[in-house]
């Protein structure tokens, strides 16, 4: 067993926005296959592909109409097989995104359930209930959809069905053994094709409290939250993962499961990665932490302690297709970019596994000024235009050239890229030694080579306020300055890598900068 996931670098591809092979303006599997060398040169061990299954795309493909196919927009099963084979040739593992909490309203199971009368078995696959009020005119409880509005929709026959997300994403009833059996078949379908594992969407949501009690909340809950709710993180959800783990382990090649789970505490999150459950759970704590030495240190200490308790490693995530890009979150502009670069180096040096969302390696900011008419995220519509939603982090990758869509597509891209991304393209950054891309490549190459990096222990070193210094093994130090002023540090070692454009190290760490130091003994000898 190599336990490859314990310190893997996983690159997240948002399929719609990575590379378009057929010129229709939408990314696809053939486009990804041709761009895999980018992941290899970046230093990724694995790629996670967001959903590419047949879907009416009410939520960017997280509304699946057939779990065992490929949407024609993205290609065919043959394209998937070709992508998988190429990735394996290049030494990349492939994780697919499985969406077990809900289906599309166009999934045959839901179509069948709608055609059935209330109380018939076909309805038992989902959560249908009678309403409250004299004539059942009120929803069965007070749950709100995470995308805005009530979590229940009423049918002409009077019953209501539950959808924690969009009305076009009905929630499955995981207390029904049929649902469990069917999902096992789906997992086997992809395992037999050779995938290396699954990212599990809303992994904390599949089991609802049996009584479907009111939450008593009058506030809208957000997509990503830590509240204790009767539809999230129920103890029985873990039975499902124990069963899935047995299935994964029955295959050769260390197939893994990664939970997209939100839990009220990091102890509860660690329960998803107990030895007989999943291999990884996204740790969103760093992504949620403000840019502050104290906050970052707290998150690191807590995340390491809680996962170590169950014998797992943690994951470090700075962004994904659901949240504002780090450059913008950390203040935007030059300062935001400096901080995002430093945060990346900081996280790459930590024990555990690292996730990189496409475009982070280019320092892309959130696109804040997309025209309303191109926005597609259901959050935008369901919030009545008050929440811009997640399209701003899903703008297609700029590859080359000086005009949009920057080599992403031969046609017009589904979301327009800003003109100023001409300097952010992969091609432009490849030829600039101090670029974000070159820094990522250098850092990830060092991370792979350096025996102290990846899995292992971390030891904090005393440092001035606003600065965090930690040691990995006896020959590696990472120092990060979260402040704005230069700080003189008395640290041994030679420069291995730094997050800003400077190329040497004189012991003075500028604000919003991280450095890696090595060859510590050599110098002090
Ligand atoms: C989490 C996914 O990352 C997000 O994009 C999606 O909208 C929800 N789950 C619902 O599937």
């Amino acid at each position: 067993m190599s336990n490859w996931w314990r310190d893997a670098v996983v690159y997240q591809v948002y399929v719609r926005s990575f590379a378009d092979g057929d010129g229709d303006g939408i990314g696809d599997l053939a486009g990804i296959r041709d761009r895999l060398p980018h992941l290899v040169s970046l230093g990724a061990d694995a790629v996670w592909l967001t959903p590419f299954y047949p879907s009416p795309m009410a939520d960017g493909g997280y509304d699946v109409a057939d779990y065992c196919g490929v949407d024609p927009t993205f290609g065919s099963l043959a394209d998937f097989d070709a992508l998988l084979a190429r990735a394996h040739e290049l030494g990349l593992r492939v994780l697919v995104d499985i969406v077990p909490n809900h289906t599309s309203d166009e999934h045959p199971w839901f179509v069948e359930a709608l055609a059935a009368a209330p109380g018939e078995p076909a309805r038992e696959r989902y959560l249908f209930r009678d309403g409250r009020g004299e004539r059942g005119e009120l929803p069965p409880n007070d749950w709100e959809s995470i995308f805005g509005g009530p979590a229940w929709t009423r049918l002409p026959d009077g019953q209501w069905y539950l959808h924690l997300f969009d009305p076009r994403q009905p929630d499955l009833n995981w207390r029904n053994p049929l649902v469990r059996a069917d999902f096992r078949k789906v997992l086997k379908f992809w395992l037999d094709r050779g995938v290396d594992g699954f990212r599990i969407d809303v992994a904390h949501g599949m089991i609802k409290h049996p009584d479907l009690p009111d939450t008593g909340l009058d506030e809208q809950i957000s997509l990503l939250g830590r509240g204790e709710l009767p539809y999230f993180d129920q103890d029985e959800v873990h039975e499902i993962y124990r069963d899935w783990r047995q299935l994964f382990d029955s295959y050769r090649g260390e197939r893994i499961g990664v939970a997209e789970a939100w839990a009220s505490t990091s102890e509860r999150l660690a329960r998803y990665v107990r030895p007989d459950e999943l291999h990884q759970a996204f740790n969103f704590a760093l992504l949620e932490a403000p840019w502050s030495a104290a906050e970052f240190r707290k998150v690191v200490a807590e995340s390491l302690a809680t996962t170590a308790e169950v014998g797992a490693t943690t994951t470090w995530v700075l962004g994904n297709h659901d949240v504002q890009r780090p450059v913008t979150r950390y203040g935007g502009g030059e300062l935001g970019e400096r901080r995002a670069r430093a945060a990346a180096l900081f996280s790459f040096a930590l024990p555990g596994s690292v996730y990189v969302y496409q475009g982070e390696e280019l320092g892309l900011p959130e696109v804040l000024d997309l025209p309303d008419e191109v926005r597609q995220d259901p959050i935008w519509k369901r919030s009545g235009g008050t929440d811009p939603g997640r399209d701003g982090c899903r703008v297609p990758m700029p590859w080359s050239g000086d005009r949009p869509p920057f080599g992403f597509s031969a046609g017009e891209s589904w979301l327009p890229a800003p003109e100023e991304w001409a300097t952010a393209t992969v091609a432009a950054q490849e030829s600039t030694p101090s670029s974000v891309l070159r820094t990522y490549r250098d850092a990830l190459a060092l991370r792979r080579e350096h025996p102290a990096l990846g899995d292992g222990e971390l030891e904090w070193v005393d440092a001035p306020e606003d600065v965090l210094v930690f040691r990995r093994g006896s020959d590696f130090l990472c120092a990060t300055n979260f402040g704005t002023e230069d700080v003189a540090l008395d640290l041994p070692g030679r420069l291995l890598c730094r997050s800003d454009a400077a190329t040497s190290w004189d012991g003075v760490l500028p604000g919003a900068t991280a450095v890696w130091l090595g060859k510590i003994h050599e110098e002090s000898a």
Side-chain angles (χ1 to χ4, degrees):
M1 283 266 279
S2 70
N3 289 344
W4 66 271
W5 65 89
R6 286 182 65 90
D7 55 7
V9 175
V10 186
Y11 187 89
Q12 180 191 352
V13 163
Y14 191 72
V15 174
R16 213 178 172 74
S17 302
F18 191 64
D20 175 17
D22 65 5
D24 66 355
I26 298 175
D28 50 40
L29 299 180
I32 299 169
R33 190 192 58 215
D34 289 347
R35 295 288 189 185
L36 288 175
H38 173 68
L39 276 62
V40 175
S41 59
L42 189 64
D45 299 298
V47 52
W48 148 31
L49 304 171
T50 56
F52 49 75
Y53 317 106
S55 163
M57 307 290 166
D59 180 21
Y62 282 95
D63 48 321
V64 180
D66 170 8
Y67 290 99
C68 298
V70 173
D71 194 278
T73 317
F74 301 133
S76 62
L77 271 175
D79 291 325
F80 177 80
D81 291 340
L83 163 57
L84 185 66
R86 185 76 190 117
H88 284 166
E89 269 165 32
L90 293 170
L92 289 166
R93 289 183 153 95
V94 176
L95 307 179
V96 295
D97 208 322
I98 200 82
V99 189
N101 180 67
H102 44 263
T103 67
S104 158
D105 62 340
E106 292 185 20
H107 194 290
W109 298 336
F110 194 67
V111 173
E112 197 194 329
L114 285 191
E120 282 187 19
R123 289 220 166 168
E124 282 304 307
R125 280 186 183 277
Y126 293 87
L127 291 150
F128 286 90
R129 290 290 183 278
D130 293 331
R132 296 199 280 205
E134 261 174 42
R135 291 172 309 282
E137 72 283 9
L138 300 170
N141 66 24
D142 68 353
W143 298 2
E144 293 270 289
S145 150
I146 288 154
F147 290 163
W152 296 91
T153 289
R154 196 173 194 197
L155 298 171
D157 64 28
Q159 276 211 314
W160 299 73
Y161 70 89
L162 177 72
H163 51 86
L164 290 182
F165 295 88
D166 194 80
R168 304 201 56 191
Q169 293 168 294
D171 279 53
L172 283 164
N173 171 17
W174 274 84
R175 294 183 187 275
N176 180 346
L178 257 186
V179 168
R180 296 189 186 210
D182 279 330
F183 253 87
R184 252 184 163 255
K185 286 187 206 146
V186 170
L187 297 174
K188 285 173 100 162
F189 176 86
W190 293 105
L191 289 165
D192 289 340
R193 283 201 116 74
V195 304
D196 299 283
F198 303 91
R199 177 262 187 195
I200 303 154
D201 189 64
V202 199
H204 56 315
M206 281 125 84
I207 295 285
K208 279 77 182 171
H209 189 290
D211 305 334
L212 306 182
D214 280 342
T215 63
L217 296 173
D218 41 35
E219 256 179 39
Q220 177 63 49
I221 59 148
S222 68
L223 178 57
L224 318 167
R226 290 182 182 278
E228 281 181 38
L229 295 158
Y231 42 82
F232 281 159
D233 194 30
Q234 301 289 301
D235 288 341
E236 291 134 284
V237 82
H238 294 281
E239 286 166 15
I240 300 171
Y241 301 127
R242 287 193 195 102
D243 177 46
W244 287 14
R245 178 60 178 258
Q246 285 181 11
L247 179 66
F248 299 158
D249 286 351
S250 72
Y251 281 79
R252 286 204 316 212
E254 296 184 281
R255 319 293 179 99
I256 70 163
V258 183
E260 186 231 7
W262 291 83
S264 51
T265 62
S266 56
E267 282 81 10
R268 284 202 69 92
L269 183 65
R271 291 155 55 104
Y272 290 81
V273 290
R274 288 179 288 196
D276 58 346
E277 297 194 37
L278 299 172
H279 300 75
Q280 293 188 332
F282 291 130
N283 170 12
F284 296 118
L286 201 60
L287 176 157
E288 290 182 303
W291 178 251
S292 133
E295 295 291 335
F296 270 48
R297 179 168 172 159
K298 199 168 114 208
V299 163
V300 170
E302 198 175 296
S303 310
L304 294 179
T306 48
T307 44
E309 189 77 14
V310 294
T313 56
T314 193
T315 59
W316 302 108
V317 182
L318 291 174
N320 61 34
H321 64 292
D322 290 329
V323 296
Q324 200 173 58
R325 285 193 175 272
V327 168
T328 308
R329 227 173 44 230
Y330 293 141
E334 207 181 308
L335 181 63
E337 187 185 304
R338 282 184 72 92
R339 289 175 170 169
R341 289 168 75 130
L345 242 66
F346 175 86
S347 69
F348 295 167
L350 293 170
S353 165
V354 165
Y355 277 75
V356 176
Y357 174 48
Q358 68 180 46
E360 264 164 34
E361 77 281 24
L362 304 177
L364 296 185
E366 184 84 359
V367 179
L368 298 169
D369 56 358
L370 284 171
D372 291 350
E373 61 278 11
V374 302
R375 289 188 190 278
Q376 304 216 358
D377 187 355
I379 292 183
W380 160 251
K381 224 170 64 215
R382 285 182 66 85
S383 71
T386 55
D387 184 333
R390 301 161 293 174
D391 292 311
C393 62
R394 299 175 177 180
V395 172
M397 277 280 283
W399 292 97
S400 58
D402 48 21
R403 268 182 310 149
F406 302 114
F408 163 74
S409 170
E412 205 176 309
S413 61
W414 70 282
L415 287 176
E419 302 276 343
E420 60 271 19
W421 282 11
T423 51
T425 63
V426 172
Q429 297 203 32
E430 257 169 354
S431 51
T432 312
S434 61
S435 66
V436 184
L437 178 61
R438 294 276 293 267
T439 306
Y440 264 62
R441 283 184 184 170
D442 291 350
L444 291 175
L446 277 162
R447 184 184 191 275
R448 189 179 280 237
E449 282 157 23
H450 203 294
L453 294 183
D455 201 358
E457 303 295 317
L458 163 154
E459 190 193 328
W460 296 104
V461 175
D462 284 344
E465 211 191 332
D466 281 342
V467 176
L468 291 182
V469 179
F470 59 84
R471 187 190 300 279
R472 302 289 319 272
S474 58
D475 197 26
F476 179 94
L477 286 168
C478 172
T480 310
N481 183 354
F482 291 79
T484 47
E485 305 294 320
D486 287 1
V487 176
L489 295 173
D490 183 18
L491 294 174
R494 294 203 202 143
L495 184 69
L496 297 177
C497 180
R498 54 187 292 163
S499 63
D500 60 2
T503 52
S504 60
W505 170 241
D506 58 3
V508 177
L509 188 59
T513 304
V515 288
W516 287 4
L517 303 173
K519 303 210 167 57
I520 288 169
H521 305 294
E522 234 170 80
E523 211 199 41
S524 51

